[in-house]
Amino acid sequence: MAWLPSIEERERGVWRKRANARIRFLERFGERAPQLPRFHPERAPGLVEMPQLPAANALTKAAELAFVTDQTTRGRELLDRAVGHLLAERPGNWPITRTALLGTLVHRVSTELNSEGIHLMADDLRQDTSWYYASTLILDRTAGALIAAAVASGPPERTLSLLTQPLQAAEDELGIHSPERLAYLIAAKAMEADTLPLFGWRRRPDGPPGETADDTRRHADQAVAAFLMLTQRYAARVRLLTSDHAHWGQLYPRVPMLDWTLLSLHVALLRREMTIPIRKLFSSIQPVGPAGALGTFIADIASALDRT
Amino acid sequence: MLIQWCLKGIAETSAFGDLEAQKALQDAGLTSAWLRNPTGRDILTLPADSQSSLSQSALNAHVNSFSTIAATTPYMSVSAGCVELDPGKTTTTVYHALETALSFATKSGACSGYVFRLWVLVSPKPAPELPGFAEEVRELNLFRQYAIFHDEGEIAAKLFVPARQIESVEKYDCELNLLWTHLNSNFIPPERISNLLEFL
């Protein structure tokens, strides 16, 4: 069962009914949006930069509603369609973080972060964004999501070499202020980077992350603690959402109900073969209370996504 | 003054159908509940009556307690879309006017309805007591009181929107299929009153 824990059992019938009505509306809007006059590039030239984006937004919201009301298969299908709309934009126009995060969940996009920049790959298409052009201000806010997408895309030594390879000395005149170094610093300080020991990488006390020589409990402990903190953060977010009774009651939350970044990290864990000691440690340490229930909820969705 | 394009979604009911939708473009315009339910008022007392009905408290009730004044509000909500901040995820979310209008027009996919495309004048400062221009409720720099449904991107028009300011009406079914579009042959584009002047 994968009901959002904040939805009490006695309310689930009503929630399911309302969610299905809203999902239907969002589905229809997602289907129609690219052709509606307001969003059609030929009918509104100059006004529309990314005509597929409203459809992707609507289908993502629909997928989220499906996930929180224990309709994981339907949610996955809606998410796949949302990603389809994102990828229908020409490469160069893909919204970076959203395409990386959502695309990796449905196995359609692979993300790599290296010293050159952010690389998104979908079949034969790719979008490369150099650190010279990626705003560090935006990266500061989205680094966690990109790290999650990267570790879910494959082994971090390949997909996250920005953090897992020793930082080369910048040869250009910018020196320590080079875009690559700034990107490394921003990514390294994201809380999601602290989960890397669970994927086989730990932060060396004297510098950048390096491959673990062994699965020492101390390093895995820190990574699990980071996971717990991320789950607590999600729990705080859900508490805030439920306090907005007007929107919550209508299943119309102003901001996403699902923590897609945390979900990606859980999917990444499933896709990586954890060593037995780490797996045991991770299973034994679970947050209590609402955060614990949310952690189980996210893990259940990740399992369902990974099975499809 | 600003000129703002907006959308208005109205569900199809026994009281509002194809005839009424097309008449709105011909001459009737779109009217507030206050005008549609005169209850003892007549045209001669309209200026005095409207003066007493338009107020900050009436606007507050319209925005945050609509169900209590739905039958008597002198304001009429139209949508221009909205951007919301998400501090938790440090991103922004765009709420498109068309999605809001369609949600109202079809009651979230439960019935067919109409979406009107129109323009209104918007004051750069709040003046809920004055008729003739709309209030940009979605603008938090102007309307600082908390709006429960801020994400609907509300612009509150007053009393009525003249037919000549309504460019078109589209009808959608409950599956959001566009059934038909009617254009207003008497539509006056907003460029007529913009501050972009041609040389002599």
Side-chain angles (χ1 to χ4, degrees):
Chain A
M1 292 280 281
W3 278 89
L4 185 67
S6 303
I7 304 172
E8 296 183 21
E9 195 161 343
R10 57 187 168 84
E11 299 173 323
R12 287 178 182 174
V14 172
W15 266 79
R16 175 68 68 85
K17 195 174 165 188
R18 285 184 190 164
N20 285 342
R22 180 99 184 116
I23 289 170
R24 268 196 304 277
F25 173 80
L26 290 168
E27 255 190 291
R28 292 288 174 263
F29 185 80
E31 285 168 15
R32 307 281 182 265
Q35 296 305 317
L36 290 173
R38 179 70 181 92
F39 300 121
H40 198 285
E42 288 177 13
R43 297 181 204 172
L47 280 180
V48 184
E49 291 182 0
M50 289 191 280
Q52 301 287 338
L53 205 53
N57 289 346
L59 289 168
T60 304
K61 282 190 276 191
E64 194 180 64
L65 277 172
F67 282 130
V68 303
T69 53
D70 194 29
Q71 300 180 73
T72 312
T73 304
R74 192 176 183 192
R76 197 226 179 267
E77 187 261 330
L78 289 164
L79 192 61
D80 190 72
R81 285 162 57 191
V83 172
H85 280 285
L86 290 174
L87 296 178
E89 297 283 352
R90 57 178 180 78
N93 262 6
W94 298 344
I96 297 173
T97 310
R98 197 177 331 187
T99 307
L101 204 51
L102 302 183
T104 196
L105 290 174
V106 293
H107 289 278
R108 290 184 68 172
V109 176
S110 180
T111 301
E112 289 183 17
L113 306 181
N114 59 24
S115 60
E116 292 170 2
I118 308 166
H119 309 280
L120 306 182
M121 278 78 65
D123 294 329
D124 297 331
L125 301 173
R126 64 182 292 139
Q127 175 173 294
D128 302 307
T129 307
S130 161
W131 297 123
Y132 281 88
Y133 298 108
S135 165
T136 50
L137 289 176
I138 294 174
L139 180 65
D140 188 49
R141 297 195 292 270
T142 59
L146 290 171
I147 289 171
V151 293
S153 297
E157 53 268 28
R158 177 175 63 81
T159 63
L160 200 53
S161 59
L162 174 71
L163 292 182
T164 59
Q165 296 290 339
L167 190 65
Q168 303 295 333
E171 295 179 357
D172 63 22
E173 61 191 13
L174 293 175
I176 60 170
H177 300 297
S178 68
E180 299 90 343
R181 182 171 283 272
L182 285 174
Y184 162 77
L185 291 172
I186 291 169
K189 80 173 178 65
M191 198 185 302
E192 287 78 1
D194 290 337
T195 67
L196 286 180
L198 287 177
F199 303 97
W201 292 85
R202 67 172 175 85
R203 195 185 301 279
R204 295 186 197 281
D206 57 347
E211 191 166 5
T212 53
D214 55 61
D215 296 320
T216 56
R217 185 184 173 94
R218 180 164 55 92
H219 300 297
D221 267 350
Q222 290 167 357
V224 171
F227 246 101
L228 298 184
M229 287 304 300
L230 290 169
T231 309
Q232 292 285 2
R233 188 177 69 181
Y234 179 38
R237 176 189 185 80
V238 171
R239 275 199 297 277
L240 200 58
L241 283 175
T242 57
S243 69
D244 183 353
H245 301 296
H247 282 84
W248 186 254
Q250 294 184 21
L251 302 186
Y252 200 70
R254 295 188 184 190
V255 295
M257 286 188 283
L258 212 56
D259 190 326
W260 297 102
T261 301
L262 187 60
L263 180 59
S264 272
L265 285 173
H266 275 271
V267 168
L269 280 176
L270 291 170
R271 290 177 183 170
R272 171 172 174 83
E273 293 174 7
M274 279 194 284
T275 62
I276 292 176
I278 290 181
R279 192 188 299 277
K280 278 187 179 170
L281 173 65
F282 193 73
S283 301
S284 67
I285 301 178
Q286 292 293 333
V288 295
L294 274 173
T296 304
F297 162 70
I298 287 286
D300 286 347
I301 296 181
S303 291
L305 278 175
D306 197 52
R307 279 197 299 270
T308 57
Chain B
M1 283 292 174
L2 304 171
I3 307 172
Q4 177 71 59
W5 279 109
C6 306
L7 297 176
K8 171 73 177 173
I10 300 179
E12 184 177 25
T13 62
S14 57
F16 195 96
D18 290 2
L19 192 63
E20 287 75 20
Q22 291 168 40
K23 195 158 170 52
L25 268 62
Q26 288 164 2
D27 50 26
L30 293 173
T31 52
S32 62
W34 186 87
L35 265 186
R36 293 196 304 275
N37 300 309
T39 56
R41 295 194 301 273
D42 60 44
I43 192 66
L44 292 176
T45 61
L46 189 67
D49 292 337
S50 65
Q51 169 148 312
S52 59
S53 69
L54 294 170
S55 65
Q56 181 64 61
S57 57
L59 180 60
N60 290 347
H62 177 88
V63 171
N64 279 330
S65 185
F66 183 76
S67 58
T68 62
I69 44 82
T72 57
T73 176
Y75 299 95
M76 187 171 54
S77 300
V78 294
S79 177
C82 180
V83 180
E84 290 272 353
L85 291 175
D86 182 359
K89 303 300 284 184
T90 54
T91 58
T92 56
T93 304
V94 176
Y95 290 87
H96 294 279
L98 183 57
E99 189 178 331
T100 300
L102 279 173
S103 182
F104 277 98
T106 65
K107 293 186 181 174
S108 296
C111 67
S112 53
Y114 309 91
V115 174
F116 294 86
R117 177 174 156 86
L118 53 98
W119 61 266
V120 293
L121 286 177
V122 173
S123 166
K125 295 180 187 174
E129 310 90 338
L130 295 175
F133 51 85
E135 300 295 318
E136 194 171 3
V137 176
R138 67 174 185 167
E139 174 52 67
L140 290 176
N141 291 309
L142 300 179
F143 290 89
R144 302 175 191 175
Q145 64 270 38
Y146 186 79
I148 296 175
F149 297 104
H150 179 261
D151 49 279
E152 288 174 357
E154 180 170 2
I155 306 282
K158 294 165 187 161
L159 301 180
F160 70 99
V161 175
R164 290 198 177 99
Q165 288 175 218
I166 306 173
E167 184 188 59
S168 65
V169 60
E170 295 172 338
K171 184 174 184 182
Y172 293 85
D173 66 13
C174 59
E175 298 287 316
L176 304 190
N177 293 307
L178 176 60
L179 300 179
W180 50 253
T181 304
H182 278 268
L183 299 178
N184 184 354
S185 56
N186 293 318
F187 174 67
I188 303 290
E191 287 79 9
R192 271 275 289 272
I193 61 166
S194 81
N195 59 3
L196 181 60
L197 301 177
E198 189 54 83
F199 49 78
L200 298 174

